[in-house]
Amino acid sequence: MQNLATKFNNLTIQSDFIFKKVMSRKRICMHLLEELLQIKIADISYFEAEKSLEPDYASRGIRLDIIVADDKNTHYNLEMQVNNIKNPDTKNYVLPKRTRYYQALMDIDLLQKGQDYDLLPPTYIIFICVFDFFAKGNYVYTFKKHCLEDLNLELSDEATTMILNTKGTHGNISKDIKSFYDYVNNHIINSDFTRQIDDEISYLKLDSKVRREFMLLEARLLDERREGKAEGKAEEKLATAKRLLNMGLSVQDVAKGTSLSVEQVENLKAEQK
């Protein structure tokens, strides 16, 4: 428990847990969006933080960090991305198609059964990355759909994806967004905006309810990881048993070699017939 307490005290804005809590403060989230998009927002409404979207039992569900809608019904999904994850099997980076999947599930969630497609509101998928995914040095990479035959022709589906690069070196961003990047990268407080964020984090760390919530979340994640490892080991045992059966070993020998029960091995053998 002491290790968890130390971990909690050392949390920064890069932590999903702290990021969600900070962005749940309306004044901070609104200001970040206004400065990033250079627009004025009268108000925002929150959908549940870390919202789970699961379209059906066979599809992969996702947990979105922050979803808000402004007074003009534009919806924003904000995500903190610390690791540039690569699929170990394909060796491909997952970020591009992850944004695609997030956009698809957001749209499904926003359009009710029987509603016309043109009722889909404008959306922004915004990933705040502490790495430069495209290695171009831009502060921001903004994507919309354009025609390859005529790049001036835009598909007006009102869906925008923004990849923020806190390690960027050039581009047109406001002073407050640059100070936000400095804070995310190195905990540098050089603006009123980052002072507000840092004060909010300090308040959160003094809140016993927030501390307890973090402890429970970490315990739940640890259980999920343990269950995943246990399932993986069980599947590995079954795969080994099948290979041994194919090699002609007896049910009893396979059971001894894999620590499976004789009944389990017999069932596997029956399935292979």
Side-chain angles (χ1 to χ4, degrees):
M1 190 63 69
Q2 179 60 39
N3 288 336
L4 280 180
T6 301
K7 184 175 181 179
F8 177 78
N9 290 331
N10 291 333
L11 291 178
T12 70
I13 190 69
Q14 291 191 19
S15 157
D16 270 352
F17 181 81
I18 290 294
F19 176 74
K20 292 165 193 171
K21 292 293 184 185
V22 170
M23 289 302 148
S24 293
R25 299 299 185 263
K26 183 178 288 191
R27 71 183 188 281
I28 292 175
C29 188
M30 276 182 58
H31 188 70
L32 180 66
L33 291 173
E34 287 181 326
E35 290 294 305
L36 178 63
L37 302 174
Q38 289 298 289
I39 59 175
K40 291 302 295 182
I41 298 176
D43 195 15
I44 59 173
S45 57
Y46 280 86
F47 297 80
E48 57 187 290
E50 195 178 356
K51 179 170 184 173
S52 295
L53 297 180
E54 298 182 19
D56 62 58
Y57 72 94
S59 299
R60 175 170 179 164
I62 58 173
R63 291 176 180 172
L64 304 183
D65 282 358
I66 292 291
I67 303 179
V68 299
D70 66 17
D71 50 296
K72 296 179 181 177
N73 199 34
T74 300
H75 284 63
Y76 307 89
N77 168 219
L78 291 164
E79 303 283 331
M80 176 63 71
Q81 193 71 23
V82 175
N83 298 312
N84 192 11
I85 301 170
K86 182 185 286 189
N87 185 322
D89 298 322
T90 65
K91 309 303 181 184
N92 295 325
Y93 289 103
V94 304
L95 181 64
K97 290 188 178 178
R98 185 176 178 185
T99 66
R100 171 181 164 183
Y101 194 63
Y102 278 32
Q103 179 66 63
L105 290 192
M106 270 192 74
D107 285 345
I108 291 173
D109 195 55
L110 289 170
L111 195 65
Q112 301 302 311
K113 185 176 181 180
Q115 286 186 321
D116 292 330
Y117 294 117
D118 64 345
L119 294 179
L120 275 171
T123 59
Y124 283 81
I125 304 292
I126 302 171
F127 275 68
I128 303 168
C129 300
V130 298
F131 51 87
D132 187 353
F133 183 81
F134 299 100
K136 299 290 186 180
N138 289 19
Y139 287 128
V140 181
Y141 300 94
T142 304
F143 297 91
K144 290 178 177 287
K145 295 185 180 72
H146 289 268
C147 176
L148 293 180
E149 289 74 21
D150 183 354
L151 294 179
N152 293 318
L153 186 61
E154 180 184 328
L155 184 66
S156 56
D157 60 358
E158 297 187 302
T160 305
T161 298
M162 301 181 74
I163 310 296
L164 310 191
N165 170 27
T166 65
K167 298 297 191 339
T169 57
H170 57 265
N172 185 23
I173 58 173
S174 73
K175 290 182 179 179
D176 274 359
I177 293 298
K178 181 60 172 67
S179 70
F180 176 71
Y181 282 8
D182 292 338
Y183 184 79
V184 171
N185 291 333
N186 300 306
H187 197 260
I188 296 172
I189 303 168
N190 54 16
S191 69
D192 180 62
F193 182 46
T194 48
R195 169 56 62 190
Q196 289 182 42
I197 293 174
D198 195 65
D199 286 346
E200 187 60 43
I201 293 175
S202 297
Y203 296 146
L204 287 168
K205 289 183 178 181
L206 293 174
D207 191 326
S208 59
K209 291 182 179 179
V210 174
R211 179 183 292 267
R212 186 161 57 250
E213 181 184 347
F214 174 76
M215 301 291 186
L216 292 173
L217 174 64
E218 286 294 298
R220 188 187 76 193
L221 292 175
L222 180 60
D223 286 343
E224 288 178 356
R225 286 194 290 268
R226 286 173 175 169
E227 288 174 7
K229 288 181 179 179
E231 290 175 2
K233 288 181 179 179
E235 291 176 359
E236 186 177 337
K237 282 185 179 181
L238 293 175
T240 300
K242 289 178 181 179
R243 287 195 296 270
L244 294 176
L245 286 171
N246 290 333
M247 292 169 63
L249 273 69
S250 69
V251 169
Q252 289 74 19
D253 286 340
V254 172
K256 288 179 182 178
T258 59
S259 300
L260 293 172
S261 68
V262 171
E263 182 181 2
Q264 285 176 300
V265 179
E266 286 177 341
N267 290 336
L268 284 176
K269 189 173 183 179
E271 291 174 3
Q272 291 180 327
K273 291 182 179 179

